[in-house]
């Protein structure tokens, strides 16, 4: 008989267990923490050298052992302190594609108590200018493209720069010339509540906000992912479907919280191989999964669709995969079914987190996911979840409201934005801005963004529900639902749809399809068929404002 979720959680967090819990005061609030957590990322990074010749990073034809990685981390850390005078609390920005040097830079910066600032590699010159000035970066570590794009800003703000994978650039240091061979890691004391990272939120309106996480917040989130895995192993003690050693493939940007914490840092802390993709390409991903015997694939739902839709899917051996899933957006039930069919040895999964939670939140996987395909899972030991009304009152199970989080893994606030911080963090609770509910078993259902709801003639239409219905159509590859202004109704429901290769779709077909599944007021009255992938930000979220503008321009 399968152990209950509650019993498994109690077992892995019991006194003396690896994930033993305790109460602690964090940011003025009492929360549950993992008692045995390392005090900072510095201690976690320091463990890598002991892993020796085991392969850590794979990038194209490069293979970095843990020893090579540790040597580079120590060398860069020494250079930051000795060459650039970086001290605790100084901000050092990283602006590059997914390269091994990104991982080294993050580890070195946080190991000396400086703050790692992740810059979106897709940002324009103006966006980079804003972030670099906003965070007050002292040093920028970047590839040539980001270096050129930030040139005017670097000169205006007198920011030192280190360029990676590029020939010499005037007035800019090369990585190879800066990283000190044989250097020792500087002796710096890093405390749990010291700032560790600034990740800029991927809002679709206005300037992004710099979400600041402490070492404690990141470490607690990291252990949270490990604790959840331990719970599932206890509930499902069968041996893994493959004999392959655990290995992750990095298919999302490192500057995004998913790529940084649950993927990269999970590999770093547990001694696992991380296969780095230069950019997303489903055919290349299939090649790497087969070549490197990848076991864990963490991406956004679109990437799972892309893998399954690849004309070369059947040509590659994906039998090494044990876990396939991710987050960033709700996964339609149809996708869950297809994943189960096409990855028979892998457990499908999804997680619900955000930048403000260090990607950590409720998770759903395996049999629970198959039984509850529209749920993002249940809370874990250090995580409290509540659903509240507009006045902040807690709602009973089953009722819709805004989802709030509490725990030691939350950001401490937004960089230099006390008013925005106060709006989002209330008495130790973080307001997610998402609409959802919790059922009697504790399963969380995320039904939409609060601002991503269509109010049609007084009726609430939750976009995720309509999108899930559209995805059940066999000809739909991508779908986004949003509201557009309407003189009589206030708003009407609109949809943008990208067909699958070879499929022919019409608005009438899709409207009939949705009408068979949902109430008539939820059927999109406007449907835009597109021939290119839907626009997304770095987090994998569809830019609905851009689609709304496209639809308006067509009408």
């Amino acid at each position: 008989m399968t152990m209950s979720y509650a019993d498994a959680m109690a077992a892995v967090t019991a006194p003396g267990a690896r994930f033993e819990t305790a109460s602690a005061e964090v940011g003025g609030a009492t929360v549950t923490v993992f008692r045995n957590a390392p005090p900072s990322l510095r201690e976690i990074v320091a463990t890598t050298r002991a892993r020796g010749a085991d392969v850590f990073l794979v990038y194209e034809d490069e293979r970095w052992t843990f020893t090579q990685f540790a040597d580079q981390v120590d060398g860069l850390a020494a250079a930051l302190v000795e060459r650039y005078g970086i001290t605790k609390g100084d901000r050092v920005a990283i602006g590059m594609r997914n390269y091994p040097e990104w991982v080294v830079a993050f580890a070195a910066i946080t190991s000396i108590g400086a703050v790692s600032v992740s810059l979106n590699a897709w940002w324009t010159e103006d966006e980079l200018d804003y972030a670099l000035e906003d965070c007050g970066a002292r040093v920028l570590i970047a590839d040539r493209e980001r270096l050129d794009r930030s040139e005017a800003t670097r000169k205006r703000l007198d920011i030192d720069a280190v360029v990676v994978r590029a020939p010499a650039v005037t007035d800019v240091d090369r990585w190879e010339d800066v990283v000190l061979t044989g250097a020792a890691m500087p002796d710096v004391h890093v405390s749990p509540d010291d700032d560790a990272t600034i990740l800029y939120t991927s809002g679709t309106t206005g300037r992004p906000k710099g979400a600041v996480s402490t070492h404690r917040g990141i470490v607690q989130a990291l252990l949270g992912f490990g604790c959840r895995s331990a719970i599932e192993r206890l509930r499902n003690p069968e041996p893994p479907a493959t004999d392959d050693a655990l290995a992750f493939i990095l298919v999302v940007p490192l500057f995004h919280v998913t790529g940084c914490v649950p993927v990269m840092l999970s590999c770093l802390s547990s001694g696992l191989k991380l296969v780095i993709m230069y950019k997303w390409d489903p055919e290349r991903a299939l090649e790497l999964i087969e070549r490197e015997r990848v076991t864990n694939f963490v991406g956004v739902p679109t990437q799972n669709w892309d893998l399954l839709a690849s004309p070369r899917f059947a040509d590659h051996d994906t039998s090494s995969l044990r876990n396939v899933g991710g987050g960033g957006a709700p996964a339609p039930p149809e996708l869950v079914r297809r994943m189960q069919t096409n990855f028979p040895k892998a457990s499908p999964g999804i997680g619900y987190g955000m930048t403000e939670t260090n990607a950590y939140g409720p998770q759903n996987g395996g049999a629970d996911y198959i039984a509850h395909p529209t749920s993002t899972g249940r809370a874990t030991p250090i995580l409290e979840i509540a659903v509240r009304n507009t006045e902040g009152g807690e709602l009973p199970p089953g009722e819709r409201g805004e989802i709030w989080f509490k725990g030691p893994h939350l950001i401490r606030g937004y960089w230099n934005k006390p008013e925005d911080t106060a709006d989002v963090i209330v008495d130790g609770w973080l307001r997610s801005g998402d609409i959802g509910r919790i059922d009697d078993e504790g399963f969380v259902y995320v039904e939409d963004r609060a601002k991503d709801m269509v109010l049609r003639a007084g009726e609430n239409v939750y976009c995720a529900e309509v999108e899930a219905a559209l995805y059940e159509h066999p000809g739909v590859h991508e779908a986004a639902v949003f509201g557009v202004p309407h003189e009589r109704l206030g708003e009407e429901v609109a949809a943008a749809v990208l067909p699958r290769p070879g499929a022919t779709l019409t608005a009438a077909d899709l409207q009939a399809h949705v009408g068979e599944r949902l109430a008539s007021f939820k059927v999109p009255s406007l449907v835009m068929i597109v021939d290119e992938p839907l626009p997304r930000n770095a987090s994998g979220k569809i830019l609905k404002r851009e689609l709304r503008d496209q639809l308006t321009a067509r009408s």
Side-chain angles (χ1 to χ4, degrees):
M1 183 176 179
T2 302
M3 181 181 290
S4 73
Y5 186 80
D7 287 346
M9 186 162 62
V12 302
T13 59
R18 179 186 176 193
F19 297 104
E20 178 183 355
T21 56
S23 291
E25 196 82 8
V26 178
T30 301
V31 295
T32 301
V33 300
F34 293 114
R35 183 189 295 274
N36 301 319
S40 75
L41 290 168
R42 179 184 172 94
E43 283 74 21
I44 292 176
V45 171
T47 65
T48 57
R49 185 172 295 282
R51 302 188 188 279
D54 290 348
V55 173
F56 175 29
L57 302 174
V58 175
Y59 174 73
E60 298 299 335
D61 295 325
E62 300 176 23
R63 308 183 81 79
W64 292 44
T65 67
F66 280 96
T67 296
Q68 291 170 320
F69 170 77
D71 287 343
Q72 293 275 295
V73 171
D74 291 352
L76 179 59
L80 288 172
V81 172
E82 297 168 15
R83 186 183 185 101
Y84 301 108
I86 296 299
T87 59
K88 277 185 63 172
D90 286 342
R91 275 76 63 204
V92 178
I94 307 174
M96 67 180 86
R97 286 182 173 272
N98 285 358
Y99 288 129
E101 288 87 350
W102 201 108
V103 185
V104 172
F106 180 92
I109 294 164
T110 55
S111 290
I112 60 173
V115 181
S116 173
V117 182
S118 300
L119 301 179
N120 188 317
W122 295 350
W123 275 344
T124 63
E125 180 180 345
D126 178 66
E127 289 167 319
L128 286 169
D129 181 84
Y130 169 78
L132 287 169
E133 182 168 9
D134 179 66
C135 74
R138 296 252 336 258
V139 176
L140 168 64
I141 304 173
D143 58 20
R144 182 61 186 267
E145 186 175 352
R146 260 49 60 176
L147 188 76
D148 291 345
R149 210 178 292 169
S150 63
E151 182 178 6
T153 301
R154 289 187 287 104
K155 291 180 177 178
R156 179 172 65 86
L157 300 176
D158 194 25
I159 299 173
D160 288 319
V162 179
V163 65
V164 304
R165 297 182 181 254
V169 182
T170 304
D171 298 328
V172 174
D173 292 329
R174 294 174 70 240
W175 176 280
E176 295 85 346
D177 300 329
V178 164
V179 176
L180 306 176
T181 304
M185 170 65 69
D187 185 12
V188 180
H189 176 71
V190 183
S191 301
D193 293 316
D194 287 341
D195 290 344
T197 60
I198 297 177
L199 277 73
Y200 280 88
T201 58
S202 54
T204 56
T205 59
R207 290 295 195 181
K209 300 186 292 289
V212 185
S213 289
T214 64
H215 284 263
R216 185 200 306 272
I218 298 169
V219 170
Q220 289 287 328
L222 192 57
L223 265 66
F225 289 110
C227 178
R228 174 63 198 226
S229 296
I231 290 171
E232 291 308 307
R233 286 195 298 271
L234 204 55
R235 296 183 69 206
N236 303 284
E238 298 87 0
T242 74
D243 294 327
D244 298 289
L246 288 177
F248 281 69
I249 184 168
L250 182 68
V251 299
V252 293
L254 282 163
F255 58 75
H256 178 251
V257 70
T258 301
C260 183
V261 181
V263 179
M264 183 271 285
L265 280 175
S266 287
C267 291
L268 186 152
S269 63
S270 300
L272 310 180
K273 182 170 70 174
L274 177 62
V275 181
I276 299 175
M277 292 194 71
Y278 174 72
K279 66 177 181 178
W280 171 245
D281 176 80
E283 281 69 41
R284 180 58 173 160
L286 288 167
E287 292 173 3
L288 290 171
I289 289 168
E290 179 176 12
R291 187 186 86 182
E292 300 296 335
R293 303 302 294 169
V294 170
T295 61
N296 291 60
F297 182 100
V298 179
V300 296
T302 296
Q303 292 172 313
N304 294 317
W305 282 119
D306 287 348
L307 276 186
L308 297 173
S310 169
R312 296 183 57 196
F313 180 81
D315 299 336
H316 290 282
D317 180 6
T318 59
S319 63
S320 60
L321 289 172
R322 299 186 198 177
N323 294 281
V324 179
E334 177 63 19
L335 176 58
V336 180
R337 289 190 288 270
R338 293 188 189 185
M339 289 164 59
Q340 185 185 20
T341 301
N342 289 278
F343 301 112
K345 294 183 179 181
S347 173
I350 195 169
Y352 170 38
M354 57 191 69
T355 302
E356 288 84 351
T357 69
N358 279 296
Y360 181 63
Q363 294 169 268
N364 200 2
D368 282 347
Y369 197 14
I370 302 303
H372 305 272
T374 59
S375 171
T376 190
R378 290 180 277 197
T380 42
I382 64 169
L383 172 63
E384 294 182 61
I385 305 178
V387 172
R388 301 181 185 273
N389 58 26
T390 54
E391 289 76 38
E394 188 165 354
L395 296 172
E399 290 200 23
R400 280 176 171 160
E402 184 179 7
I403 299 171
W404 291 40
F405 294 109
K406 186 180 181 183
H409 61 295
L410 305 179
I411 62 169
R412 72 157 178 82
Y414 296 113
W415 184 257
N416 289 336
K417 288 183 169 55
E419 292 183 2
D420 288 328
T421 299
D423 286 341
V424 171
I425 301 177
V426 181
D427 297 329
W429 287 84
L430 182 137
R431 302 180 58 177
S432 72
D434 289 330
I435 299 297
R437 58 187 169 86
I438 305 174
D439 68 15
D440 291 330
E441 296 180 87
F443 282 93
V444 179
Y445 295 81
V446 183
E447 297 177 335
D448 232 319
R449 288 289 300 173
K451 62 183 178 184
D452 195 21
M453 179 183 70
V454 181
L455 185 58
R456 182 189 183 278
E459 294 283 354
N460 293 343
V461 180
Y462 292 89
C463 299
E465 185 181 18
V466 184
E467 288 164 356
L470 284 167
Y471 274 116
E472 292 180 9
H473 192 290
V476 171
H477 182 61
E478 286 189 319
V481 173
F482 47 93
V484 294
H486 188 277
E487 184 176 353
R488 184 172 66 86
L489 301 173
E491 286 185 303
E492 59 184 331
V493 183
V497 175
L498 173 68
R500 289 184 173 278
T504 300
L505 297 176
T506 67
D509 289 339
L510 293 170
Q511 288 164 334
H513 173 82
V514 175
E516 292 172 358
R517 290 159 174 78
L518 302 176
S520 59
F521 71 86
K522 299 180 181 179
V523 177
S525 53
L526 299 172
V527 178
M528 178 172 63
I529 309 295
V530 300
D531 56 9
E532 295 182 349
L534 300 184
R536 294 176 180 271
N537 63 18
S539 306
K541 296 176 184 176
I542 294 173
L543 299 173
K544 295 189 176 182
R545 169 168 289 196
E546 189 172 319
L547 291 171
R548 188 179 294 114
D549 292 342
Q550 289 180 25
L551 185 59
T552 302
R554 288 189 180 189
S555 57

